[in-house]
Amino acid sequence: FIVLAVIIAANTGELNVNFWVRLVTYSAIYAFSVIVFLPKITTWFFRYFLTESGVEDYVFVLTAVFVSSFFSHLIGLEPIIGAFLAGLTLNPLIPAKSVLMNRVQFVGNSLFIPFFLISVGMLIDPIVLFTNINAVRVTIVMVTVALLSKDMASRVFSKIAHFSKNEQGLIFGMSVNQAAATLAAVLIGYRVGIFQEDIL
């Protein structure tokens, strides 16, 4: 997503020294703020405002994610980076078997992810695959590169870690999926005009 921000800046003619200084400075300040201050605020909130209903803690988590996304957007990065960073920061503070974690996973899996996938699906015109030969070429190249690069990475790591063939296959299988982050990146590129419909 950071590479995508650079590509968007290059596409709009804003890629200069000022852009790089702003990106590096703001990103460092932003990441430091989220990683250092968000856990302290979260711990304080959970200590003083937790109730039996558990509504307040869930609203706090959602607010933290949305605020983090908003500030990510303000500094010139994609909001999804802010949401991801907030999630990484909050995850260790929420017990895995807690009601809050259950609610976070339930809403994410039953609402956010399906709505994202449906919204992307509604943008796609399946006819393009049959009428645009470039779309077929792009599909073949992207799938081939994704599979080969993940296979090569799993082979190299397995040699370094002295893993068996089965363990190598497991690493490949667990890392080969591309849906969420790749789809989000392509969708952002499509919205700003970098990618055409055949790429989407």
Side-chain angles (χ1 to χ4, degrees), residues 106-141:
F106 175 78
V107 171
N109 293 335
S110 66
L111 189 68
F112 289 155
I113 294 171
F115 270 81
F116 170 68
L117 294 174
I118 289 167
S119 67
V120 173
M122 292 176 74
L123 293 173
I124 295 172
D125 182 10
I127 302 298
V128 172
L129 283 172
F130 303 103
T131 58
N132 188 339
I133 192 69
N134 191 46
V136 176
R137 270 196 294 248
V138 166
T139 302
I140 292 169
V141 169

Side-chain angles (χ1 to χ4, degrees), residues 49-81:
F49 294 98
L50 220 55
T51 60
E52 284 185 24
S53 66
V55 173
E56 290 81 3
D57 50 353
Y58 183 74
V59 171
F60 173 82
V61 168
L62 274 185
T63 304
V65 170
F66 290 143
V67 168
S68 183
S69 298
F70 174 71
F71 279 106
S72 178
H73 179 68
L74 276 186
I75 65 168
L77 299 173
E78 290 302 320
I80 196 170
I81 293 176

Side-chain angles (χ1 to χ4, degrees), residues 143-165:
V143 169
T144 304
V145 168
L147 291 173
L148 289 177
S149 61
K150 295 292 183 176
D151 182 58
M152 192 184 316
S154 68
R155 287 175 189 272
V156 169
F157 184 77
S158 294
K159 288 273 189 220
I160 294 168
H162 305 292
F163 281 176
S164 68
K165 210 70 167 153

